[in-house]
Each structure stands twice: as C-alpha cells, then as structure tokens.
Amino acid sequence: MVKLASLKQGRDGQLMVVSRDLSRAITADGIAPTLQAALDYWAETEPALQALYQQLNQGNCADSFAFNQADCASPLPRAYQWADGSAYVNHVELVRKARGAEIPASFWTDPLMYQGMSDDFIGPCEDICLADEAWGIDFEGEIAIITGDVPMGTPAERAAPHIKLLMLVNDVSLRNLIPGELAKGFGFFQSKPASSFSPVAITPDELGDAWQDTRVHHRLRVHLNGELFGEPDAGTDMTFNFAQLLAHVSFSRTLCAGSIIGSGTVSNVNRSTGSCCLAERRMLEILEQGEARTPFMKFGDRVRIEMLDQQGQSIFGAIDQQVTKYEAL
C-alpha cells in the first residue's frame, strides 16, 4: 500500500510519499527521483516506498511536511503513453441516441480507445487555459491506471498484476471541434487538449474491498462552480474493466512502464446520480426537452473532481481547476 505524488520541479517532478489522510508528505529522492524512475524499477522501489509510507503514517518521519495539493504536478507530469477508452458504453449509447443513431453491436464487446497527448499534462490545481469559449469546453471525470511494463498480447485474465497505480482524470474535451475532426475519419487531435490528473496516485490495494474485478467501487464526485453536478458509482455500469482495457491496448504492442490508460467518462444508467461531463447532461436535455440548455464552460468556470471513501475522506485529493483565456505569446 502506498500513496504517491509529484512535487512541481523540473519537467518530471520530484517524487513524494503522501500519508493516507493526505495531511503529510515526504520526498522519496533516496528511493527514486521521479515517479517514472520508480515505475521503471518497480520491483525494487515499491517495497522501499511502502516502508516509507508506513513510517509516515505512524508519524516516524522527522523530515515530513504538510502536504499541499496546489504544489503538485500531475503524478506523471508527462508520460510515454496516454490512451483513453470509453468503458461506460451507456455514456456512448446516450450520446448517439440524442442524434438518432444506434451504436454498433461491437461497442459492447470491443472497447473504444483513442491516444491522447501525453507530453505535458496540466497540474491538478492549475488553470485550463484555452483560446476560445466557442470551442465547446467540457470536463470529463474519469479514473485511470498507470501500468508497469506490459508484454504484447497480454490477455485480460493476466492483466491485473500490470496495474501499478490508480488516479483520477479530467479529460478536457472541446466538443464543438469534435464533429469536424471525426468526419475526417482519422480521430481526435485538436479537440483533445492536455488532460490533468489527481494530485495523488495510489496502489490498488489502498482501496481495500472497493477494488474488485479491476473496477473502482466508489462514487466519483464532480462539482461545477461549487454545485454538485454528478456522483455516479464508478464500479457500476462499467462495461469493460481495467484488465480488459489493458488487454485491448496491448493487443498488438508492448507498453512501457508509466503508460496511462483511462476509463472514459464515468456514467450510470440511473440518471439520478448525475453526470461527469457537460455533454451527457446536454444529451439528456435534448432527449427530454428537445434542446440542450446547459452551456459548455466559460472563462472563470471552475470544476472539481474527487472521490471519497466510506468515511468521507478524500482518496486521491481533488482536481480543482478554473478555465482561463489563453493569450498567445
């Protein structure tokens, strides 16, 4: 068991071990300078990180300091690979239904996946800087795994041990740019700017019984401008678990340690739990009222994405970001 974060420093951050209650932290440079370095030699570094974590939780680290989420970069400030799926097929079906289209039967048996930009992630408390509100700025609350080295052709039944860490995601989407890009038949690019991740990444065993069948069985809470927007259960209605997503990504390629795979927008069939993105709410409005009434994000809007345990304690810390206008240099 261990919780890890990256202090903002250079391009790849400085590795920290964070206490279970997210109150204290200690740098782990005696074990590995960065999270990527720790993942590269995980068999050697994980036991040492776990020992330091235990000492920190027991209050036996004289060099510990108060943990400040705003000082964190994303756990991996940049990564060799970021692949995002759409594991909640209910979400995909809803979006298609709003425009009168049925989903192909294969969507229920073969995961959707796109490869996003991974060279410069946004910090969990940093602004989302974009040039134009007309692009249709949206947040997407998700969960992601970080892998170790994964052989090509790894089947789902042998994928779980390759899942080293978990974290939350805000996969920013520019909805009004997506249709034109998809019409080209070559996938997302401009419509998918930099994503951000929770301040803290955790080993799956930190979740206890909430980690089952490589799914996270907790609610993902999203607030927009201080008001609860949605809190669907991430373990419910997840058509493809993380082992299946990992098998899909490694089908024809090996993955290096530090590869990130996202779940796609968390979504429940039970609409009373709310949504984790604006597009889903807008689609529900179209189906129920004939038109979308909820606007996309404007400059100054703030989104907060967080997951709490049964005692109400934050597990990963919070992604807490404001949308601001980007001014070109």
Side-chain angles (χ1 to χ4, degrees):
M1 295 184 178
V2 69
K3 292 191 174 187
L4 302 171
S6 291
L7 189 66
K8 291 179 183 177
Q9 181 173 292
R11 289 196 172 191
D12 295 301
Q14 182 179 22
L15 181 62
M16 298 186 290
V17 173
V18 182
S19 63
R20 179 167 285 118
D21 64 1
L22 308 185
S23 66
R24 306 292 295 175
I26 187 168
T27 58
D29 47 358
I31 300 170
T34 65
L35 180 54
Q36 182 61 55
L39 290 161
D40 286 339
Y41 300 97
W42 192 246
E44 294 80 25
T45 60
E46 184 186 21
L49 291 169
Q50 289 182 344
L52 184 57
Y53 181 59
Q54 184 175 3
Q55 294 172 21
L56 181 63
N57 286 321
Q58 293 172 344
N60 295 331
C61 293
D63 294 333
S64 71
F65 49 87
F67 178 61
N68 184 0
Q69 299 183 37
D71 292 337
C72 293
S74 284
L76 285 172
R78 56 178 176 170
Y80 291 113
Q81 180 158 233
W82 155 233
D84 198 19
S86 194
Y88 299 85
V89 179
N90 153 69
H91 170 75
V92 182
E93 185 177 40
L94 176 64
V95 171
R96 294 223 167 188
K97 185 182 294 185
R99 63 173 188 260
E102 297 294 326
I103 65 169
S106 63
F107 280 28
W108 294 99
T109 58
D110 192 32
L112 296 172
M113 189 73 64
Y114 85 91
Q115 194 162 34
M117 65 167 287
S118 62
D119 57 308
D120 186 21
F121 295 130
I122 308 171
C125 301
E126 294 177 351
D127 290 346
I128 301 168
C129 296
L130 295 166
D132 196 340
E133 291 177 345
W135 290 346
I137 305 166
D138 199 356
F139 52 85
E140 292 192 63
E142 308 182 11
I143 303 167
I145 61 172
I146 302 177
T147 75
D149 292 314
V150 184
M152 179 166 40
T154 296
E157 57 268 22
R158 295 207 299 270
H162 298 294
I163 299 172
K164 305 306 182 186
L165 296 167
L166 299 164
M167 53 187 179
L168 305 182
V169 190
N170 180 13
D171 179 41
V172 181
S173 292
L174 305 177
R175 299 295 185 182
N176 292 339
L177 302 185
I178 288 176
E181 286 203 303
L182 294 185
K184 297 177 181 179
F186 217 58
F188 304 118
F189 195 84
Q190 292 180 337
S191 54
K192 287 290 188 177
S195 298
S196 54
F197 298 84
S198 53
V200 174
I202 70 171
T203 49
D205 53 6
E206 272 290 320
L207 292 173
D209 292 341
W211 177 248
Q212 296 181 21
D213 300 321
T214 64
R215 293 178 174 89
V216 177
H217 294 269
H218 279 304
R219 292 189 178 278
L220 185 62
R221 295 170 58 87
V222 177
H223 285 80
L224 178 61
N225 295 326
E227 295 186 4
L228 183 64
F229 191 85
E231 52 177 354
D233 189 293
T236 303
D237 305 317
M238 188 181 190
T239 308
F240 304 103
N241 64 22
F242 279 112
Q244 292 169 308
L245 294 177
L246 182 50
H248 181 84
V249 175
S250 65
F251 176 79
S252 60
R253 65 179 74 181
T254 58
L255 306 181
C256 72
S259 294
I260 304 172
I261 301 173
S263 66
T265 306
V266 175
S267 178
N268 287 170
V269 173
N270 179 0
R271 307 302 183 200
S272 68
T273 63
S275 300
C276 283
C277 72
L278 290 164
E280 184 170 294
R281 177 176 287 188
R282 286 168 58 87
M283 294 308 153
L284 286 168
E285 291 169 346
I286 290 171
L287 292 172
E288 295 170 1
Q289 305 168 31
E291 63 178 356
R293 299 182 178 181
T294 300
F296 289 121
M297 297 184 80
K298 304 295 184 184
F299 299 139
D301 284 349
R302 180 172 292 276
V303 61
R304 182 181 178 92
I305 301 171
E306 192 171 21
M307 182 173 282
L308 308 180
D309 63 18
Q310 297 297 339
Q311 290 72 46
Q313 174 69 42
S314 183
I315 300 171
F316 301 89
I319 298 171
D320 193 346
Q321 300 174 300
Q322 187 174 43
V323 178
T324 59
K325 184 174 177 58
Y326 173 73
E327 301 291 350
L329 298 177

